[in-house]
Amino acid sequence: MQYTTEPIRKTPTWVDAAVAPPIVSQSQLKLGLPRVKSTLMKKMSAERTTTVMECHNTSGTEVSDYTKLIISRHGMVLWTDYLSSAILQMTGNDLFSAVACEDASIVIYSPAGRRLLPTIVLESTPVVLTSNDRWLLCLTATGQLCTWDVTHQACELSSISISPLLRVAQVGPSEESHSAPALRDIRIQKNGTPLVITSYHQAFAYNKDMRCWLRISDAWHIISELWGSGSSLIEQHPLGWLSTALTMTGSTDATNQSILTLAKSDPEASGTITLSHIENQLAVALLLGSIKEYNEWMLYYAKRLAKENCQSKVEELCQWLMGPPYV
């Protein structure tokens, strides 16, 4: 058996498409692969100063193919490392930094540059890599989402498919490609809950206890009197940030027109949708661990119940707040 010394992909001096593993072509869901660039830079928020991650993917004209990772602060190099595969994505914070490579691997470092784990090997090429506090999130080219607790070196979510979010079940059996909602934003909360926003004016969160995706916001509540309420800062006000993010992404879903038509034909629809919107926001605040926003929406809810004279819901809410043995 003869082995060739030629690289699988000769990287040009600027940009090239990542090499997709065979499993991607066989998958029902195929996400676009990130480009392999000669240089990538990403700023990490540190306690006092800004730390910069920088990688250099060598071209195929070099004697050997490798990638150099440089972590610096104020122009001073803190540490470096060399990898055998091109870096596609980078992320980091005060607790750790991580890079995702073209060979479907992830390397995690401590703030001082110590490797916290051996190289993580995935089933396909990473297309999204993001972090928050001790959590690391990765989405692969086949639509598999994984999250890890880096501090405790534990897996929180393993190979969770995002197919339901892209409406794959609505596509019939066919070899032809079909358009789907675009992924506008993917991030992870401080409590480890992943958030996904699509171009259909919808936001989703994964509930690890129920083991399912929850649609936590969509265009159906757009006629709510409280739509768009809240701050746009995600760390302190994730619900307000979601509302702002959904508005900025726009919408290509027919739900918008349906709810507007309903509002014109039924004058009472707005009040009912507003109450439903508040109840949804309360449930989402609990899921995302946003205590401040939960208190704010609870006040909205109490005032709305009094305005609508919903006696049964008021009694149920009071029993729920009092807890056992009333619930």
Side-chain angles (χ1 to χ4, degrees), residues 2 42 77 81 191 221 261 266 270 301-302:
Q2 295 182 349
K42 183 176 181 63
V77 176
D81 193 17
N191 65 353
H221 293 141
T261 302
D266 187 352
S270 177
Y301 192 42

Side-chain angles (χ1 to χ4, degrees), residues 14-29:
W14 174 235
V15 68
D16 192 13
V19 176
I23 191 174
V24 175
S25 61
Q26 301 170 6
S27 174
Q28 184 182 15
L29 181 61

Side-chain angles (χ1 to χ4, degrees), residues 4 22 49 55 85 134 157-158 221 256 265 282 286 295 303:
T4 177
T49 57
C55 80
S85 181
R134 70 179 193 268
L157 300 177
S158 176
H221 293 141
N256 277 24
S265 60
L282 283 171
L286 279 179
N295 293 334
K303 294 177 181 178

Side-chain angles (χ1 to χ4, degrees), residues 186-229:
I186 300 176
R187 58 184 65 211
I188 188 167
Q189 283 291 100
K190 274 194 172 183
N191 65 353
T193 302
L195 300 179
V196 178
I197 295 180
T198 71
S199 59
Y200 278 13
H201 222 134
Q202 296 177 335
F204 301 87
Y206 191 83
N207 189 319
K208 63 178 182 179
D209 295 326
M210 297 185 65
R211 298 183 181 181
C212 64
W213 287 102
L214 302 178
R215 188 171 62 224
I216 59 177
S217 185
D218 59 34
W220 189 250
H221 293 141
I222 200 170
I223 64 171
S224 167
E225 297 174 14
L226 297 175
W227 177 262
S229 301

Side-chain angles (χ1 to χ4, degrees), residues 297-322:
W297 284 99
M298 182 60 73
L299 291 177
Y300 291 146
Y301 192 42
K303 294 177 181 178
R304 195 72 193 187
L305 290 178
K307 181 179 179 180
E308 299 290 339
N309 194 24
C310 301
Q311 182 178 350
S312 60
K313 286 192 175 183
V314 171
E315 293 176 353
E316 185 179 82
L317 176 63
C318 291
Q319 292 176 355
W320 184 80
L321 291 175
M322 293 175 69

